[in-house]
Amino acid sequence: MTETQHYIHDCIEQVFRHEGSRVRAALISSLGDFELAEDALQEAFLAALEHWPDEGVPQNPAAWLLTIARRKAIDRLRRAQTFARKQELLQTLVEIEEQSVPSPPETFPDDHLKLIFTCCHPALHMEARVALTLYTLGGLTTPEIANAFLVPEATMAQRLVRAKRKIRDAGIPYSVPSPERLPERLDGVLAVLYLIFNAGYSASIGDALIRQELCAEAIRLCRALSTLLCEEPTLQEEPEVLGLLALMVLHDSRRHARLSVHGELITLEEQDRSLWDQTQIAEGIAVLDRALALRRPGAYQIQAAISALHAQATRAEETDWFQIALLYSELVRLNGSLVVRLNWAVAVAMASTPAHGLTLLAELDADGGLKKYRNFHAARADLLRRAGDWQSACEAYRTALTLTQNTVERAFLQRRLLEIQTKCDG
């Protein structure tokens, strides 16, 4: 391969990574068919490989690809046996080609916004929403998504195909919900983005604790959603979108301190805070301030406020655990899930005594519903360790180990267990 060919391949790969999702969104907007859009876009990239070495990279590669993909779609529709049913769509595409110049990327954001809501439609299962959002908007390939969620590539491919066909067959509208219906749909979108971030921030299984590509995509999509909502004349800034963005940015600011040079997990309390990204912390707090100024509090804003308190403590012992416990109590009022109540109990323990926290954990698990939840046993083990109940702490660490499938987390729990093993035996 010549140097020019290498350059063209690199350019096309960059365009695919940075512009592919916007071109795809515009195509789906025109076609209303995910699979036809995918096929047409793939042909457009093949055309780029054929023409760009001789003609040079266009000044506006995304617009070039969009134009070629539309023409490829027209050709496909003309060849299709279902021509009669596709005639109206074909006429629309032909009119677009005849009446307009290639669309610049600046016209894509509205399509991007519509596609976010389409991918996260409540008619789709949550796992399908997450996968389809990553594939269509995040620009991740099927193998990348399969690897991120530790499933076979064929399984992920089938999941994506089913999701796209469900949208087509169910007639799910490709549009931003009306203002009165936006809140009920926005919650689902934010839940998907948060699931994507969490899947990358603390993987439950596998050899890696952090999958940064997932964290980055969730932050990018949330940032885009916030911007696009502000740009829509019929919509307004949503504090919970800002709250989620602030929360993810603040969490991500600690990424470089969460693992040692040997890949070992380091707890928040023990992290080297000089490694925290101060630029991200400043951005996260500024975004949170914007959200709070709108005076419509919500769960993501409260979680972001908790993360901000951690970020503002220059030393672990300076952490305002009393304020964090108060915020968690408000979060329990809004969302009394077992996970939230578990975090609240730990915060109370840090603000008062380990014994107080252990009492709350016992009440939380009164019905035994958390016996298979690894984080419950890990939290209980830590509080028992802090309380000096070595035997019970050892037992809790062993239980947590039996439930933990992530290699990095298992190594951390084993280190903790070894640290107190002699005291347990004594």
Side-chain angles (χ1 to χ4, degrees), residues 4 16 47 60 63 76 80 110 119 129 150 167 177 190 228 256 271 293 295 319 338 348 365 379 384 400 420:
T4 299
F16 175 79
N60 192 331
R76 279 179 168 267
D110 179 63
C119 290
R129 297 184 212 174
L150 303 174
I167 290 173
L190 296 181
L228 294 170
H256 297 296
Q271 287 174 13
R295 299 186 179 278
T319 304
L338 291 176
V348 169
D365 192 41
L384 289 166
I420 60 174

Side-chain angles (χ1 to χ4, degrees), residues 107-334:
T107 65
F108 296 172
D110 179 63
D111 295 317
H112 219 152
L113 181 58
K114 292 175 183 177
L115 196 53
I116 288 176
F117 283 96
T118 303
C119 290
C120 298
H121 195 279
L124 301 175
H125 292 299
M126 183 59 76
E127 63 180 19
R129 297 184 212 174
V130 174
L132 193 59
T133 301
L134 281 174
Y135 180 77
T136 308
L137 291 160
L140 273 67
T141 64
T142 301
E144 287 173 330
I145 301 172
N147 180 66
F149 289 96
L150 303 174
V151 299
E153 182 180 342
T155 299
M156 182 55 65
Q158 291 173 355
R159 188 175 298 173
L160 290 166
V161 168
R162 285 196 298 268
K164 289 183 280 191
R165 289 180 178 171
K166 175 69 178 265
I167 290 173
R168 181 195 63 193
D169 296 342
I172 292 174
Y174 182 86
S175 63
V176 177
S178 59
E180 62 272 13
R181 298 198 63 185
L182 182 63
E184 64 185 53
R185 292 287 302 282
L186 191 59
D187 287 347
V189 173
L190 296 181
V192 167
L193 295 182
Y194 197 28
L195 279 173
I196 291 171
F197 181 84
N198 283 336
Y201 190 74
S202 185
S204 60
I205 57 178
D207 296 329
L209 179 70
I210 304 170
R211 295 191 177 93
Q212 178 52 28
E213 75 280 4
L214 293 183
C215 295
E217 289 303 329
I219 291 173
R220 186 184 71 80
L221 289 171
C222 192
R223 201 188 304 278
L225 178 60
S226 176
T227 300
L228 294 170
L229 288 173
C230 290
E231 291 177 351
E232 281 291 304
T234 60
L235 303 177
Q236 58 181 329
E237 195 164 44
E238 288 289 334
E240 278 292 78
V241 176
L242 296 173
L244 178 57
L245 177 58
L247 172 62
M248 293 192 294
V249 170
L250 287 167
H251 277 341
D252 196 56
S253 70
R254 302 195 295 266
R255 172 170 29 101
H256 297 296
R258 294 181 65 215
L259 296 173
S260 72
V261 292
H262 303 295
E264 298 168 329
L265 185 152
I266 304 175
T267 65
L268 176 62
E269 184 178 19
E270 298 170 336
Q271 287 174 13
D272 178 355
R273 301 188 176 213
S274 68
L275 297 177
W276 290 2
D277 190 322
Q278 295 301 317
T279 300
Q280 282 188 298
I281 290 173
E283 179 195 357
I285 292 174
V287 172
L288 175 60
D289 287 342
R290 279 172 55 199
L292 296 177
L294 296 173
R295 299 186 179 278
R296 283 182 284 151
Y300 293 121
Q301 296 169 72
I302 294 173
Q303 292 177 76
I306 292 169
S307 189
L309 286 171
H310 283 298
Q312 291 170 320
T314 56
R315 296 183 302 157
E317 53 268 32
E318 295 175 1
T319 304
D320 190 347
W321 282 108
F322 180 77
Q323 184 66 24
I324 289 173
L326 287 177
L327 288 169
Y328 267 120
S329 66
E330 179 62 16
L331 194 58
V332 168
R333 187 184 68 80
L334 292 177

Side-chain angles (χ1 to χ4, degrees), residues 1-16 48-49 51-61:
M1 185 181 292
T2 66
E3 184 175 342
T4 299
Q5 288 173 322
H6 273 297
Y7 170 74
I8 294 298
H9 275 268
D10 288 343
C11 285
I12 290 175
E13 183 176 350
Q14 289 297 315
V15 172
F16 175 79
L49 284 171
H51 293 283
W52 289 7
D54 296 327
E55 301 172 5
V57 178
Q59 184 176 1
N60 192 331

